[in-house]
Amino acid sequence: MSTLEALISLIALLAFIGTMLAVLSQQKESILLAEASVNAKADSFFCALTIDSIYSNSIDSYSQKILCSIGRKKTSATSNRTLKETETLAEAESGFETAVKSFGHYIK
Amino acid sequence: MRGIFCFSITLVMLAILLNFSIIENGFYSKLEKGKSALIEMESGNKERTIIENNVDKIVSTEIAEQIENGNLNSESIKDEINSSLAGYLKGRANASTIFSKTQGSTITKEFLNGNSNAFILELGGKKYGEYSFASNAEKTNIVSKTFGNNAKAIFTIPIDYTIRKLAGGVKN
């Protein structure tokens, strides 16, 4: 009888562990998805912020790479197949080099 | 058996916490990188704007002063303006060419005199003064200074930069 009880307890414990692992695995996937989403948004937001700052500060050249796809008035970034976009205030063109239209103190 | 179960759960929890910590650090790193880039741009723009505004102010004030003194000698007017301008720009900007904006020698009054024009006209009680940075005959000499490393804000007195000043009201 005690052997049967021990066996039932073991099965219950294993079932509980299995359920926990399944839940954790599902949570991990959700976390990874959320991380990718936040990463993509953060990247596109940072690119947009950089472009707007280049415009508002009339920066002549920026040597850091802008790792986003640049549309006319938006930037988009992908992380783990999740695409996120952010609108920019300034217009930028993506070619061999990214060009941001800006105006200085003296009209150049 | 219970011990192993608790230990496993603790390990899993620690792994999750560590994962969260790594993700958080990644975001902080991105945030700090972004902040430093923005600060560099702001700082470069601030330095450039201060010089631009002061150059405008110095030239404008000097023309007004020459008008007030009744100085109509072009060479003397130019000399006075460029003397003040060279005094301010010394150490702040360089005498350079359009081909090497980032390099150049120290600004001198002679360099500015050789690349600028100034005059004051008097007509019917009204005086009109003008200062131009005309550059040399080939239009290659400029005054410039680059601020920032990754985000470059370049100060230049552009060729054909002109400040005009009118003194004296309309007589009725």
Side-chain angles (χ1 to χ4, degrees):
Chain A
M1 190 62 186
S2 62
T3 315
L4 188 67
E5 271 178 11
L7 198 65
I8 291 168
S9 297
L10 183 65
I11 289 167
L13 188 65
L14 287 177
F16 180 71
I17 291 170
T19 313
M20 276 293 287
L21 286 178
V23 167
L24 284 174
S25 168
Q26 203 179 6
Q27 284 304 307
K28 192 190 166 193
E29 268 182 36
S30 303
I31 288 167
L32 285 177
L33 207 67
E35 187 195 355
S37 179
V38 175
N39 258 329
K41 189 65 190 173
D43 285 345
S44 73
F45 187 74
F46 176 59
C47 289
L49 206 62
T50 306
I51 286 167
D52 284 341
S53 189
I54 288 171
Y55 171 76
S56 63
N57 290 306
S58 300
I59 293 300
D60 293 271
S61 70
Y62 185 66
S63 61
Q64 295 284 333
K65 281 199 170 178
I66 297 176
L67 299 166
C68 291
S69 301
I70 296 165
R72 201 166 150 265
K73 272 194 135 185
K74 69 177 179 186
T75 57
S76 52
T78 314
S79 175
N80 201 10
R81 285 175 291 170
T82 307
L83 178 84
K84 290 282 172 186
E85 288 181 345
T86 306
E87 281 193 19
T88 60
L89 299 171
E91 275 186 34
E93 277 171 29
S94 157
F96 182 67
E97 277 187 328
T98 303
V100 181
K101 283 181 190 172
S102 65
F103 303 97
H105 178 74
Y106 306 123
I107 296 166
K108 292 172 187 170
Chain B
M1 191 70 184
R2 206 179 288 165
I4 292 168
F5 175 70
C6 287
F7 181 67
S8 312
I9 291 289
T10 311
L11 269 186
V12 169
M13 289 300 172
L14 278 175
I16 290 170
L17 277 175
L18 192 69
N19 200 24
F20 276 136
S21 181
I22 289 167
I23 293 169
E24 199 181 347
N25 281 342
F27 289 140
Y28 268 120
S29 161
K30 260 183 203 171
L31 189 70
E32 289 305 314
K33 199 179 144 202
K35 264 163 76 177
S36 61
L38 295 184
I39 287 168
E40 191 187 354
M41 286 190 220
E42 289 284 343
S43 165
N45 186 36
K46 187 199 86 180
E47 296 291 328
R48 180 179 58 189
T49 306
I50 288 171
I51 296 186
E52 284 171 345
N53 288 342
N54 285 341
V55 165
D56 289 353
K57 186 78 181 166
I58 287 167
V59 175
S60 181
T61 308
E62 279 297 330
I63 295 173
E65 204 175 296
Q66 297 311 308
I67 288 174
E68 206 170 298
N69 292 345
N71 186 1
L72 297 176
N73 183 327
S74 290
E75 284 303 312
S76 165
I77 297 161
K78 188 167 78 173
D79 206 61
E80 289 289 334
I81 296 169
N82 285 335
S83 178
S84 299
L85 208 53
Y88 174 71
L89 289 174
K90 201 172 184 179
R92 290 188 174 91
N94 300 319
S96 47
T97 68
I98 52 169
F99 307 110
S100 57
K101 275 188 179 179
T102 51
Q103 299 159 19
S105 53
T106 313
I107 297 267
T108 58
K109 187 176 77 175
E110 289 70 33
F111 174 81
L112 292 174
N113 278 344
N115 290 286
S116 62
N117 287 310
F119 63 86
I120 292 171
L121 298 174
E122 187 175 12
L123 193 69
K126 288 189 279 285
K127 284 177 181 169
Y128 171 80
E130 189 176 299
Y131 173 89
S132 300
F133 183 83
S135 188
N136 56 348
E138 293 82 25
K139 301 278 182 193
T140 53
N141 284 351
I142 54 164
V143 174
S144 73
K145 174 79 178 178
T146 304
F147 299 100
N149 294 319
N150 294 321
K152 288 192 171 86
I154 304 172
F155 159 76
T156 50
I157 295 183
I159 295 167
D160 292 336
Y161 162 83
T162 306
I163 292 278
R164 300 178 179 90
K165 197 95 186 165
L166 190 64
V170 178
K171 282 181 183 172
N172 293 316

